[in-house]
Amino acid sequence: MRTFACQACGQAVYFENWRCNQCGATLGFLPDALRLVALQEDADGCWTAAAPSSALHRPGPLARFLSRRPEPPPGDIEGRRYRKCGNYAEHNVCNWMVPAESDEDLCIACRPNRTIPNLGQPGNPQKWYRIERGKRRLVYGLLRLGLPVRSREEDPEHGLAFDFLSAREAPPDRPVLTGHANGLITLNIDEADSAHQERIRVDLNETYRTLVGHFRHEIGHYYWDMLILDGGRIEGFRARFGDERKDYGEALEAHYRHGPPADWQDRTISIYASSHPWEDWAETWAHYLHIADTLETAAHFGIEVEWYLPDGGCRSADPEFDPYTIPAFALIIDNWLPLTFAVNNLNRSMGMQDLYPFVLPQAAIAKLAYVHRVVREAAGRPWA
């Protein structure tokens, strides 16, 4: 994720912010420009980007930080008019905008919602907010990669839909399971409860479990259908991930009953990835999105990592590039591995779990490179 600033006062702001904590300006994310901006309301209730403040041009630590990765020129959004997404205006669970001329009430991230939580139940509005926060980060990454994000209303055959369901309101014989089926992603909203999420993580012996991780994993299944099965890449997929015609139900049952194969760490990115080729793809896809988003963040903060080895060698990471547009995956992975080693050590210094609790074998790196190639091809971009 890139860094953002309120152009009305120069204050650094988070991607999720809907208001500037310093000057109080209303903020909105413009999906067509991939920018979070301060807004000013027009007489008819529409919004335009506020004029840049002179504070952004004054010398000082904040200005130097913000100039590290400058925003695009303000002229590219000057005069554009927007409305708040319906879920922003009514529920404040979103901070994205909709072009004023659009017939849509919801933004591109909210339009695929088919079922939202029952907001009359205590705690559900807070859970929905956390869910939408993770989903918007997912959609940002997909847009940055140039991948199509269409709802079922826009594309009945290949569109995307989300059901956010509660196990408390489901029939006893129909458990709510997080998963994907033919473009429909279902999420058990209890995943937005940190205590519940941690219990499940421990019960399933997982090293990592987050909302954004769920979204990135399940969307991987959706794009497998679109880019692999329908995209004419099935043979290339099987050469790297295995034969997906292996019975899926039997494979998962065996996985949970007997555990992973002894050599899973030599072949896959996680334990769950070893259960079936579809899950190997989805886990690899999710990690590719993790890597791209985190490297973009590191680049925008100017994070550089360097340490010397006992033999006189040196390992370093200096991601001075845009991971979403770089053709060569080798450059991405060469910076990713030292960066994760550094941030894991920072977490350990605070007595916390590793930020990135994974070890990437060469086989998994090759699969990540394949995902990179498929994504670049799908977006019509060069790859290497």
Short mmCIF file of all heavy atoms in Angstrom, two decimals, residues 2-42:
data_model
loop_
_atom_site.label_atom_id
_atom_site.label_comp_id
_atom_site.label_asym_id
_atom_site.label_seq_id
_atom_site.Cartn_x
_atom_site.Cartn_y
_atom_site.Cartn_z
N ARG A 2 0.57 2.18 -0.87
CA ARG A 2 1.31 3.42 -0.92
C ARG A 2 0.95 4.29 0.28
O ARG A 2 -0.02 4.01 0.99
CB ARG A 2 1.04 4.16 -2.22
CG ARG A 2 -0.41 4.64 -2.37
CD ARG A 2 -0.61 5.42 -3.65
NE ARG A 2 0.29 6.55 -3.70
CZ ARG A 2 0.80 7.04 -4.83
NH1 ARG A 2 0.50 6.47 -5.98
NH2 ARG A 2 1.60 8.08 -4.81
N THR A 3 1.70 5.33 0.51
CA THR A 3 1.39 6.26 1.58
C THR A 3 0.50 7.37 1.03
O THR A 3 0.53 7.70 -0.17
CB THR A 3 2.67 6.87 2.15
OG1 THR A 3 3.44 7.46 1.09
CG2 THR A 3 3.53 5.81 2.83
N PHE A 4 -0.30 7.96 1.92
CA PHE A 4 -1.22 9.01 1.52
C PHE A 4 -1.10 10.19 2.49
O PHE A 4 -0.67 10.04 3.63
CB PHE A 4 -2.67 8.51 1.52
CG PHE A 4 -2.92 7.38 0.57
CD1 PHE A 4 -2.97 6.07 1.03
CD2 PHE A 4 -3.09 7.60 -0.78
CE1 PHE A 4 -3.20 5.01 0.17
CE2 PHE A 4 -3.32 6.56 -1.66
CZ PHE A 4 -3.37 5.26 -1.18
N ALA A 5 -1.49 11.37 1.99
CA ALA A 5 -1.47 12.57 2.83
C ALA A 5 -2.69 13.41 2.50
O ALA A 5 -3.19 13.41 1.37
CB ALA A 5 -0.20 13.38 2.58
N CYS A 6 -3.17 14.11 3.52
CA CYS A 6 -4.26 15.06 3.32
C CYS A 6 -3.69 16.28 2.60
O CYS A 6 -2.85 17.00 3.15
CB CYS A 6 -4.84 15.47 4.69
SG CYS A 6 -6.01 16.83 4.60
N GLN A 7 -4.11 16.50 1.37
CA GLN A 7 -3.53 17.63 0.63
C GLN A 7 -4.04 18.97 1.13
O GLN A 7 -3.54 20.02 0.75
CB GLN A 7 -3.78 17.48 -0.88
CG GLN A 7 -5.15 17.91 -1.37
CD GLN A 7 -6.17 16.79 -1.30
OE1 GLN A 7 -5.95 15.78 -0.63
NE2 GLN A 7 -7.28 16.95 -1.97
N ALA A 8 -5.04 18.94 2.04
CA ALA A 8 -5.54 20.20 2.60
C ALA A 8 -4.62 20.75 3.68
O ALA A 8 -4.58 21.96 3.89
CB ALA A 8 -6.94 20.00 3.17
N CYS A 9 -3.88 19.85 4.38
CA CYS A 9 -3.02 20.34 5.46
C CYS A 9 -1.65 19.67 5.50
O CYS A 9 -0.78 20.11 6.24
CB CYS A 9 -3.70 20.16 6.82
SG CYS A 9 -3.84 18.44 7.36
N GLY A 10 -1.48 18.59 4.73
CA GLY A 10 -0.18 17.93 4.71
C GLY A 10 -0.04 16.79 5.68
O GLY A 10 1.00 16.13 5.71
N GLN A 11 -1.06 16.50 6.50
CA GLN A 11 -0.98 15.43 7.49
C GLN A 11 -0.98 14.07 6.80
O GLN A 11 -1.78 13.81 5.91
CB GLN A 11 -2.17 15.52 8.45
CG GLN A 11 -2.28 14.37 9.44
CD GLN A 11 -1.19 14.40 10.48
OE1 GLN A 11 -0.60 15.44 10.75
NE2 GLN A 11 -0.90 13.25 11.08
N ALA A 12 -0.05 13.19 7.23
CA ALA A 12 -0.06 11.82 6.73
C ALA A 12 -1.32 11.11 7.24
O ALA A 12 -1.71 11.26 8.40
CB ALA A 12 1.18 11.08 7.21
N VAL A 13 -1.98 10.34 6.36
CA VAL A 13 -3.22 9.66 6.72
C VAL A 13 -3.15 8.20 6.27
O VAL A 13 -2.40 7.86 5.36
CB VAL A 13 -4.45 10.35 6.09
CG1 VAL A 13 -4.66 11.73 6.69
CG2 VAL A 13 -4.32 10.44 4.57
N TYR A 14 -3.93 7.37 6.94
CA TYR A 14 -4.02 5.96 6.58
C TYR A 14 -5.00 5.75 5.43
O TYR A 14 -5.95 6.53 5.24
CB TYR A 14 -4.45 5.12 7.78
CG TYR A 14 -3.41 4.99 8.87
CD1 TYR A 14 -3.55 5.70 10.06
CD2 TYR A 14 -2.31 4.15 8.72
CE1 TYR A 14 -2.60 5.57 11.07
CE2 TYR A 14 -1.36 4.03 9.71
CZ TYR A 14 -1.52 4.74 10.89
OH TYR A 14 -0.58 4.62 11.89
N PHE A 15 -4.82 4.66 4.74
CA PHE A 15 -5.71 4.26 3.65
C PHE A 15 -7.16 4.16 4.11
O PHE A 15 -8.09 4.44 3.35
CB PHE A 15 -5.22 2.92 3.10
CG PHE A 15 -6.10 2.26 2.08
CD1 PHE A 15 -6.31 2.83 0.84
CD2 PHE A 15 -6.69 1.03 2.36
CE1 PHE A 15 -7.11 2.20 -0.11
CE2 PHE A 15 -7.48 0.40 1.42
CZ PHE A 15 -7.70 0.98 0.19
N GLU A 16 -7.36 3.75 5.36
CA GLU A 16 -8.72 3.54 5.88
C GLU A 16 -9.38 4.80 6.41
O GLU A 16 -10.57 4.80 6.71
CB GLU A 16 -8.69 2.49 7.01
CG GLU A 16 -8.26 1.10 6.56
CD GLU A 16 -6.75 0.92 6.50
OE1 GLU A 16 -6.02 1.88 6.88
OE2 GLU A 16 -6.29 -0.15 6.08
N ASN A 17 -8.63 5.90 6.55
CA ASN A 17 -9.18 7.11 7.17
C ASN A 17 -10.30 7.72 6.34
O ASN A 17 -10.21 7.78 5.11
CB ASN A 17 -8.10 8.16 7.36
CG ASN A 17 -7.17 7.87 8.54
OD1 ASN A 17 -6.00 8.15 8.49
ND2 ASN A 17 -7.70 7.32 9.62
N TRP A 18 -11.35 8.21 7.01
CA TRP A 18 -12.42 8.95 6.34
C TRP A 18 -12.40 10.43 6.74
O TRP A 18 -13.11 11.23 6.18
CB TRP A 18 -13.78 8.34 6.66
CG TRP A 18 -14.10 8.30 8.13
CD1 TRP A 18 -13.77 7.32 9.02
CD2 TRP A 18 -14.80 9.29 8.88
NE1 TRP A 18 -14.22 7.64 10.27
CE2 TRP A 18 -14.86 8.84 10.22
CE3 TRP A 18 -15.39 10.52 8.56
CZ2 TRP A 18 -15.48 9.57 11.23
CZ3 TRP A 18 -16.01 11.25 9.56
CH2 TRP A 18 -16.05 10.77 10.89
N ARG A 19 -11.55 10.75 7.69
CA ARG A 19 -11.41 12.14 8.12
C ARG A 19 -9.96 12.39 8.51
O ARG A 19 -9.31 11.53 9.11
CB ARG A 19 -12.35 12.44 9.29
CG ARG A 19 -12.32 13.90 9.74
CD ARG A 19 -13.29 14.14 10.88
NE ARG A 19 -14.67 13.90 10.50
CZ ARG A 19 -15.44 14.77 9.85
NH1 ARG A 19 -14.96 15.96 9.52
NH2 ARG A 19 -16.68 14.48 9.52
N CYS A 20 -9.45 13.57 8.19
CA CYS A 20 -8.09 13.94 8.60
C CYS A 20 -8.10 14.29 10.08
O CYS A 20 -8.89 15.13 10.52
CB CYS A 20 -7.60 15.14 7.78
SG CYS A 20 -5.99 15.76 8.30
N ASN A 21 -7.23 13.64 10.84
CA ASN A 21 -7.19 13.87 12.28
C ASN A 21 -6.64 15.25 12.64
O ASN A 21 -6.83 15.72 13.76
CB ASN A 21 -6.34 12.79 12.96
CG ASN A 21 -7.01 11.43 12.92
OD1 ASN A 21 -8.23 11.34 12.90
ND2 ASN A 21 -6.21 10.38 12.88
N GLN A 22 -5.97 15.91 11.70
CA GLN A 22 -5.38 17.21 12.00
C GLN A 22 -6.31 18.37 11.65
O GLN A 22 -6.58 19.23 12.48
CB GLN A 22 -4.05 17.38 11.27
CG GLN A 22 -3.39 18.75 11.49
CD GLN A 22 -1.94 18.75 11.11
OE1 GLN A 22 -1.09 18.19 11.80
NE2 GLN A 22 -1.63 19.38 9.97
N CYS A 23 -6.81 18.39 10.43
CA CYS A 23 -7.62 19.54 10.01
C CYS A 23 -9.11 19.22 9.92
O CYS A 23 -9.92 20.13 9.71
CB CYS A 23 -7.13 20.09 8.67
SG CYS A 23 -7.49 19.01 7.25
N GLY A 24 -9.47 17.94 10.08
CA GLY A 24 -10.89 17.58 10.04
C GLY A 24 -11.48 17.44 8.66
O GLY A 24 -12.69 17.24 8.52
N ALA A 25 -10.67 17.54 7.62
CA ALA A 25 -11.18 17.44 6.25
C ALA A 25 -11.78 16.06 6.00
O ALA A 25 -11.28 15.05 6.49
CB ALA A 25 -10.07 17.72 5.25
N THR A 26 -12.86 16.02 5.25
CA THR A 26 -13.44 14.75 4.80
C THR A 26 -12.52 14.12 3.76
O THR A 26 -12.06 14.81 2.84
CB THR A 26 -14.84 14.97 4.21
OG1 THR A 26 -15.70 15.48 5.23
CG2 THR A 26 -15.41 13.68 3.66
N LEU A 27 -12.24 12.84 3.92
CA LEU A 27 -11.36 12.12 3.00
C LEU A 27 -12.16 11.11 2.20
O LEU A 27 -13.17 10.58 2.67
CB LEU A 27 -10.25 11.39 3.76
CG LEU A 27 -9.35 12.23 4.67
CD1 LEU A 27 -8.36 11.33 5.41
CD2 LEU A 27 -8.60 13.29 3.87
N GLY A 28 -11.73 10.85 1.01
CA GLY A 28 -12.35 9.83 0.18
C GLY A 28 -11.34 9.21 -0.76
O GLY A 28 -10.45 9.90 -1.27
N PHE A 29 -11.48 7.92 -0.99
CA PHE A 29 -10.59 7.23 -1.92
C PHE A 29 -11.24 7.22 -3.30
O PHE A 29 -12.42 6.88 -3.44
CB PHE A 29 -10.32 5.80 -1.46
CG PHE A 29 -9.32 5.07 -2.31
CD1 PHE A 29 -7.97 5.31 -2.17
CD2 PHE A 29 -9.74 4.15 -3.27
CE1 PHE A 29 -7.04 4.66 -2.96
CE2 PHE A 29 -8.82 3.49 -4.07
CZ PHE A 29 -7.47 3.75 -3.91
N LEU A 30 -10.46 7.62 -4.30
CA LEU A 30 -10.94 7.69 -5.68
C LEU A 30 -10.43 6.47 -6.43
O LEU A 30 -9.26 6.43 -6.83
CB LEU A 30 -10.44 8.97 -6.34
CG LEU A 30 -10.61 10.28 -5.55
CD1 LEU A 30 -10.10 11.46 -6.38
CD2 LEU A 30 -12.06 10.48 -5.13
N PRO A 31 -11.26 5.45 -6.64
CA PRO A 31 -10.78 4.24 -7.31
C PRO A 31 -10.27 4.48 -8.72
O PRO A 31 -9.37 3.77 -9.18
CB PRO A 31 -12.02 3.33 -7.32
CG PRO A 31 -12.89 3.85 -6.24
CD PRO A 31 -12.66 5.32 -6.20
N ASP A 32 -10.83 5.47 -9.42
CA ASP A 32 -10.38 5.72 -10.79
C ASP A 32 -9.01 6.37 -10.84
O ASP A 32 -8.34 6.36 -11.88
CB ASP A 32 -11.40 6.57 -11.55
CG ASP A 32 -11.76 7.86 -10.82
OD1 ASP A 32 -11.34 8.03 -9.66
OD2 ASP A 32 -12.46 8.70 -11.41
N ALA A 33 -8.56 6.94 -9.73
CA ALA A 33 -7.23 7.55 -9.66
C ALA A 33 -6.33 6.85 -8.65
O ALA A 33 -5.15 7.17 -8.55
CB ALA A 33 -7.35 9.03 -9.29
N LEU A 34 -6.90 5.90 -7.87
CA LEU A 34 -6.18 5.17 -6.82
C LEU A 34 -5.51 6.13 -5.85
O LEU A 34 -4.35 5.98 -5.47
CB LEU A 34 -5.15 4.22 -7.44
CG LEU A 34 -5.71 3.04 -8.23
CD1 LEU A 34 -4.59 2.24 -8.88
CD2 LEU A 34 -6.57 2.14 -7.35
N ARG A 35 -6.27 7.13 -5.42
CA ARG A 35 -5.75 8.14 -4.50
C ARG A 35 -6.74 8.42 -3.39
O ARG A 35 -7.96 8.45 -3.62
CB ARG A 35 -5.45 9.44 -5.25
CG ARG A 35 -4.34 9.34 -6.27
CD ARG A 35 -4.20 10.62 -7.06
NE ARG A 35 -3.87 11.76 -6.20
CZ ARG A 35 -3.74 13.00 -6.67
NH1 ARG A 35 -3.91 13.24 -7.96
NH2 ARG A 35 -3.43 13.99 -5.85
N LEU A 36 -6.21 8.62 -2.18
CA LEU A 36 -7.00 9.07 -1.05
C LEU A 36 -6.80 10.57 -0.94
O LEU A 36 -5.67 11.05 -0.81
CB LEU A 36 -6.54 8.38 0.24
CG LEU A 36 -7.32 8.73 1.51
CD1 LEU A 36 -8.74 8.17 1.43
CD2 LEU A 36 -6.60 8.18 2.74
N VAL A 37 -7.90 11.34 -1.02
CA VAL A 37 -7.77 12.80 -1.10
C VAL A 37 -8.72 13.47 -0.11
O VAL A 37 -9.75 12.91 0.30
CB VAL A 37 -8.07 13.32 -2.52
CG1 VAL A 37 -7.14 12.69 -3.54
CG2 VAL A 37 -9.53 13.07 -2.90
N ALA A 38 -8.37 14.70 0.25
CA ALA A 38 -9.29 15.57 1.01
C ALA A 38 -10.33 16.10 0.04
O ALA A 38 -10.02 16.42 -1.12
CB ALA A 38 -8.52 16.70 1.67
N LEU A 39 -11.56 16.22 0.51
CA LEU A 39 -12.67 16.59 -0.36
C LEU A 39 -13.35 17.86 0.13
O LEU A 39 -13.33 18.18 1.32
CB LEU A 39 -13.70 15.46 -0.39
CG LEU A 39 -13.21 14.10 -0.91
CD1 LEU A 39 -14.20 13.01 -0.52
CD2 LEU A 39 -13.04 14.14 -2.43
N GLN A 40 -13.93 18.56 -0.80
CA GLN A 40 -14.78 19.69 -0.44
C GLN A 40 -16.14 19.49 -1.09
O GLN A 40 -16.24 19.07 -2.24
CB GLN A 40 -14.16 21.01 -0.89
CG GLN A 40 -13.82 21.12 -2.37
CD GLN A 40 -13.05 22.38 -2.69
OE1 GLN A 40 -12.44 22.99 -1.82
NE2 GLN A 40 -13.05 22.76 -3.97
N GLU A 41 -17.19 19.76 -0.32
CA GLU A 41 -18.55 19.49 -0.78
C GLU A 41 -19.09 20.66 -1.59
O GLU A 41 -18.96 21.83 -1.20
CB GLU A 41 -19.47 19.20 0.41
CG GLU A 41 -20.83 18.68 0.01
CD GLU A 41 -21.65 18.21 1.19
OE1 GLU A 41 -21.22 18.46 2.34
OE2 GLU A 41 -22.70 17.58 0.97
N ASP A 42 -19.70 20.33 -2.72
CA ASP A 42 -20.33 21.34 -3.56
C ASP A 42 -21.76 21.59 -3.10
O ASP A 42 -22.31 20.84 -2.28
CB ASP A 42 -20.31 20.90 -5.02
CG ASP A 42 -18.89 20.72 -5.56
OD1 ASP A 42 -17.99 21.39 -5.03
OD2 ASP A 42 -18.70 19.93 -6.50
#
